[in-house]
């Protein structure tokens, strides 16, 4: 698929110069606004912005010399003019939307640039799936830069994916027009141990002059962390405390601090700037990730900036963290991230720097949204049948597939249980004494059963374990084909029959999320593309997602955005315990442990 490239600064320089000097009229002039300059951290009253061919020609106190008969004049009326917001790290698939529908959802919130890692679809469809995401991204009226996924599987030997990413795949992707770098290097033990495959992927990225994304999900800031930094990752978003942010910035990395639908890591890390006084240009705001309900109801990067301000950050510093800091990190400071000559004309007009209402959003010189309404078309890729037929169970599942046998003669066992932590990606390694009935271990109290159902090769395999923290009550089950990162199917439930019903339902429809309670289906979100995304509008998907969240509550769950916790239970690169198709993984040691043990 070919795409019309956005004209470069060199291509447009003659026109930009002509407009700036008054020799030619601008396409658009934004008049009489407060210029928020993120380079100098100033707000300069009474300025105009002249735009030509989608780029900024000049920002001056009076651009009347740039206005011709056909120039579009946008009256700022004293409002703030801020750069379009940038999300430094995210996964579009986690929004349950395609790139087109994700763009349509976030444009009204003022997000005009996204740095996306499609490693979700890479696990399901490999390099071909990444190319589909890349191609649809380039079709959009805003800037969606793609990072080539680095780790499929995320932890070799710990899980089985639908496809594997190789150094050769990475080298090929580095030649694509929309690839900005390497996606988060999740195999942090591999980098620390100088794994040749991981280093080859990093080398291919560095040789192409692109940025290597990081993911160091360990509290160990000793030699293992030093080795990881030495391997080449340039940023990290897995910090959860002030010490994590400081350690990364001191080592020359960018600390990416995230506020997603369920990850609330800004408050505990931004103090490195607000209290310790570290240079804020080394800190970046991101989402990683937001589902459709958050996008429709709460916002996107504007929500993150507001939150940073609420946590005590100066509004201009918070804006730097969501604009020029991000652009600089990815080598795009001369392209996006500020309202200065030559840059893409991505502008938000807002009446308040604290609450950030995105009253007018301009991308590449075009008005793309006003007062919460998207005004532009977001073209769709023609997703092939292969991308829509990805759930292969191999058989009809029964309650027998969701049972955990006890050691012979045992009346009770000690179970290793995954402990969910509200609003954080890490889990806890817990142990519970569980009863045995007729040779089968029984979930009881706050402990539910979790199963991972293989769905890429149709093996019919089911791996069972236990999870605590959801608070489910009564006969129920929830199943999802969104199961980071290998994206098999995760089923959590209190009853084996309900778990089988939920799993089989997703096999019938080709992927999504479903909840059963008391023998009836309570909620269903269809995700036919790779079992990860819907190509329906965000509002429709959000309504179904809201119904899904309400159904989780009806089953007894009170966690904030518990669906995101559910979807990460198989993420075998974040401590402490996870489930994979190969067993129960202790991520602290990258080793398998038994689900149940005899009582001593």
């Amino acid at each position: 698929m070919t795409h019309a490239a956005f004209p470069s600064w060199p291509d447009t320089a003659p026109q930009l110069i002509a407009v700036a000097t008054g020799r030619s009229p601008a396409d658009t002039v934004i008049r009489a606004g407060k210029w928020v300059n993120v380079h100098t951290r100033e707000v300069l009253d009474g300025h105009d912005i002249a735009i030509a061919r989608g780029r900024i020609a000049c920002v001056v106190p009076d651009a009347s010399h740039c206005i011709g008969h056909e120039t579009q004049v946008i009256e700022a009326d004293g409002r703030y003019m801020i750069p379009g917001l940038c999300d430094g790290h995210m996964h579009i698939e986690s929004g349950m939307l395609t790139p087109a529908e994700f763009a349509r959802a976030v444009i009204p919130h003022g997000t005009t640039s996204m740095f996306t890692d499609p490693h979700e679809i890479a696990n399901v469809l490999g390099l071909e799936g990444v190319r589909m995401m890349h191609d649809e991204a380039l079709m959009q009226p805003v800037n969606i830069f793609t990072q080539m996924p680095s780790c499929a599987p995320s932890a070799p030997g710990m899980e089985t994916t639908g496809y594997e990413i190789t150094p050769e795949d990475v080298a090929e992707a580095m030649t694509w027009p929309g690839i900005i770098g390497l996606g988060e290097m999740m195999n942090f033990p591999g980098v620390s141990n100088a794994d040749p495959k991981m280093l080859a992927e990093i080398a291919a990225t560095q040789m192409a002059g692109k940025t290597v994304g990081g993911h160091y999900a360990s509290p160990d800031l000793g030699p293992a962390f030093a080795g990881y930094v030495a391997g080449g990752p340039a940023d990290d978003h897995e910090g959860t405390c002030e010490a994590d942010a400081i350690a990364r910035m001191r080592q020359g990395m960018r600390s990416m601090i995230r506020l997603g639908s369920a990850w609330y890591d800004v408050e505990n890390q931004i103090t490195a700037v607000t209290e310790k006084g570290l240079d804020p240009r080394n800190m970046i705001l991101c989402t990683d990730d937001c589902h459709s309900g958050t996008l429709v109801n709460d916002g996107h990067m504007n929500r993150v900036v507001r939150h940073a301000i609420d946590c005590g950050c100066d509004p201009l510093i918070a804006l730097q963290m969501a604009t020029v800091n991000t652009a600089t990190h990815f080598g795009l400071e001369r392209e996006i991230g500020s309202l200065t000559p030559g840059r893409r004309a991505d502008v938000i007009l807002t009446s308040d720097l604290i609450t950030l209402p995105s009253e007018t959003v301009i991308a590449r010189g075009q008005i793309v949204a006003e007062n919460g309404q998207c005004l532009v078309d977001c073209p769709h890729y023609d997703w092939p049948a292969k991308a829509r037929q990805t759930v292969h169970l191999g058989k009809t599942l029964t309650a027998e597939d969701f049972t955990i046998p006890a050691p012979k003669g045992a009346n009770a066992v000690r179970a290793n249980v995954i402990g969910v932590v509200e609003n954080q990606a890490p889990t806890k390694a817990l142990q519970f004494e569980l009863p045995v009935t007729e040779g089968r271990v029984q979930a009881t109290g706050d402990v539910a059963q979790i199963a991972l159902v293989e769905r890429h090769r149709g093996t019919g395999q089911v791996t069972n374990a236990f999870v605590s923290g959801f608070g489910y009550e009564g006969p129920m089950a929830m199943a999802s084909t969104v199961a980071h990162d290998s994206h098999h199917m995760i089923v959590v439930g209190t009853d084996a029959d309900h778990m089988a019903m939920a799993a089989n339902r997703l096999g019938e429809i080709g992927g999504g999320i479903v909840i059963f309670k008391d023998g009836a289906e309570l909620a269903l979100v269809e995700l036919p593309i790779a079992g990860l995304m819907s190509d329906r509008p965000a509002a429709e998907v959000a309504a179904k997602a809201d119904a899904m969240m309400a159904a989780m509550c009806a089953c007894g769950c009170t966690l904030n955005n518990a669906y995101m916790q559910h979807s990460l239970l198989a993420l075998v690169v974040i401590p402490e315990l996870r489930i994979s198709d190969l067993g129960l993984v202790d991520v602290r040691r990258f080793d398998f442990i038994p689900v149940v043990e005899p009582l001593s």
Side-chain angles (χ1 to χ4, degrees):
M1 180 176 292
T2 59
H3 308 276
F6 183 71
S8 69
W9 189 343
D11 289 339
T12 57
Q15 292 94 331
L16 298 179
I17 294 169
V19 169
T21 58
R23 295 195 294 268
S24 294
D27 298 329
T28 302
V29 169
I30 305 171
R31 192 159 59 183
K34 295 183 179 72
W35 176 25
V36 177
N37 192 311
V38 293
H39 289 288
T40 58
R41 229 154 51 212
E42 296 177 286
V43 177
L44 303 169
D45 203 1
H47 274 71
D48 300 348
I49 300 175
I51 299 167
R53 294 190 64 189
R55 291 183 179 271
I56 295 173
C58 61
V59 188
V60 293
D62 182 4
S64 58
H65 65 290
C66 306
I67 298 175
H69 293 299
E70 297 185 5
T71 300
Q72 178 188 28
V73 177
I74 300 172
E75 298 293 349
D77 292 325
R79 289 177 290 176
Y80 295 96
M81 304 181 297
I82 67 175
L85 302 178
C86 307
D87 191 343
H89 176 73
M90 58 171 288
H91 310 282
I92 284 176
E93 305 99 310
S94 292
M96 298 184 279
L97 305 168
T98 59
E101 290 304 324
F102 198 101
R104 191 191 308 277
V106 302
I107 284 171
H109 297 306
T111 300
T112 57
S113 295
M114 292 169 269
F115 294 84
T116 71
D117 178 359
H119 70 216
E120 322 302 352
I121 203 169
N123 279 270
V124 180
L125 292 170
L127 186 64
E128 186 178 2
V130 176
R131 185 73 201 219
M132 295 174 193
M133 295 290 286
H134 166 276
D135 286 355
E136 184 163 294
L138 288 184
M139 298 163 66
Q140 304 315 308
V142 290
N143 314 308
I144 303 182
F145 302 101
T146 303
Q147 295 173 288
M148 174 60 197
S150 61
C151 299
S154 59
M158 298 289 105
E159 63 181 348
T160 308
T161 57
Y163 284 83
E164 292 189 16
I165 294 297
T166 68
E168 291 74 24
D169 292 334
V170 171
E172 177 183 334
M174 290 302 141
T175 66
W176 299 352
I179 295 290
I180 196 67
L182 188 67
E184 55 181 306
M185 179 50 72
M186 293 179 289
N187 186 359
F188 55 91
V191 176
S192 295
N193 292 312
D195 177 85
K197 179 181 177 183
M198 298 298 98
L199 297 190
E201 291 184 2
I202 292 172
T205 306
Q206 292 174 326
M207 292 287 286
K210 301 180 186 293
T211 304
V212 178
H215 170 117
Y216 184 79
S218 170
D220 179 6
L221 297 178
F225 176 64
Y228 185 76
V229 179
D235 58 59
D236 189 34
H237 57 271
E238 288 298 334
T240 59
C241 63
E242 180 184 273
D244 289 338
I246 291 174
R248 284 149 177 79
M249 291 191 286
R250 283 178 176 167
Q251 295 296 325
M253 303 177 85
R254 276 2 188 265
S255 175
M256 291 187 171
I257 58 176
R258 60 188 174 187
L259 177 73
S261 290
W263 321 139
Y264 286 63
D265 295 323
V266 172
E267 185 174 6
N268 292 332
Q269 295 185 86
I270 205 165
T271 52
V273 169
T274 60
E275 296 180 11
K276 293 296 191 293
L278 270 62
D279 188 341
R281 291 299 298 273
N282 295 309
M283 187 170 275
I284 291 170
L285 295 174
C286 67
T287 60
D288 185 43
D289 291 298
C290 290
H291 65 63
S292 55
T294 300
L295 300 179
V296 171
N297 299 319
D298 301 324
H300 190 232
M301 282 304 298
N302 56 341
R303 170 177 174 261
V304 186
V305 175
R306 284 195 301 264
H307 179 66
I309 295 169
D310 288 343
C311 292
C313 188
D314 180 285
L316 296 183
I317 292 177
L319 284 171
Q320 283 183 320
M321 292 178 181
T323 56
V324 70
N325 291 11
T326 313
T328 300
H329 176 59
F330 287 100
L332 294 174
E333 186 176 338
R334 303 278 288 171
E335 190 70 18
I336 61 172
S338 68
L339 303 182
T340 44
R343 278 69 172 181
R344 299 186 185 192
D346 300 335
V347 189
I348 302 171
L349 299 182
T350 182
S351 56
D352 186 68
L353 282 186
I354 307 299
T355 59
L356 286 180
S358 301
E359 291 147 357
T360 299
V361 182
I362 298 164
R364 303 177 186 175
Q366 177 186 14
I367 295 177
V368 292
E370 283 191 306
N371 299 317
Q373 298 298 314
C374 186
L375 303 179
V376 289
D377 181 42
C378 296
H380 281 242
Y381 181 81
D382 185 13
W383 293 86
K386 180 179 181 180
R388 296 177 179 270
Q389 299 170 0
T390 64
V391 180
H392 311 289
L393 301 186
K395 66 178 185 179
T396 299
L397 299 169
T398 69
E400 287 297 315
D401 293 300
F402 298 95
T403 59
I404 299 177
K408 187 174 181 179
N411 294 317
V413 297
R414 178 179 296 105
N416 289 304
V417 178
I418 302 169
V420 171
V421 181
E422 187 171 27
N423 290 332
Q424 288 195 358
T427 63
K428 293 294 185 182
L430 305 177
Q431 288 192 328
F432 286 81
E433 182 176 326
L434 297 180
V436 174
T437 302
E438 297 181 350
R440 298 174 179 178
V441 184
Q442 303 296 314
T444 184
D446 187 44
V447 177
Q449 193 171 327
I450 180 173
L452 189 139
V453 179
E454 198 282 330
R455 65 112 163 170
H456 297 311
R457 295 175 175 83
T459 64
Q461 177 187 340
V462 179
T463 303
N464 290 290
F466 294 102
V467 64
S468 172
F470 286 111
Y472 291 134
E473 300 173 348
M476 59 76 60
M478 174 175 177
S480 171
T481 52
V482 178
H484 304 275
D485 276 327
S486 56
H487 295 291
H488 291 289
M489 183 191 298
I490 289 180
V491 188
V492 173
T494 61
D495 176 80
D497 286 308
H498 282 70
M499 294 175 78
M501 283 189 282
N504 289 327
R505 180 68 167 130
L506 294 188
E508 292 171 5
I509 67 170
I513 309 156
V514 69
I515 297 176
F516 278 82
K517 179 176 173 60
D518 297 328
E521 182 179 297
L522 287 192
L524 176 67
V525 183
E526 300 94 335
L527 302 174
I529 299 178
L532 303 173
M533 297 176 287
S534 169
D535 54 4
R536 301 300 301 161
E540 290 185 24
V541 181
K544 292 191 174 187
D546 287 346
M548 176 261 294
M549 299 293 288
M552 294 181 77
C553 291
C555 292
C557 182
T558 60
L559 294 178
N560 177 58
N561 273 309
Y563 163 70
M564 298 295 280
Q565 308 286 0
H566 180 107
S567 70
L568 291 188
L569 290 170
L571 186 50
V572 294
V573 290
I574 296 183
E576 295 178 346
L577 287 190
R578 304 284 162 168
I579 190 173
S580 86
D581 61 307
L582 302 180
L584 186 61
V585 181
D586 185 338
V587 184
R588 298 166 297 182
R589 300 184 289 117
F590 276 91
D591 200 1
F592 295 99
I593 61 173
V595 174
V596 297
E597 303 172 6
L599 290 175
S600 56

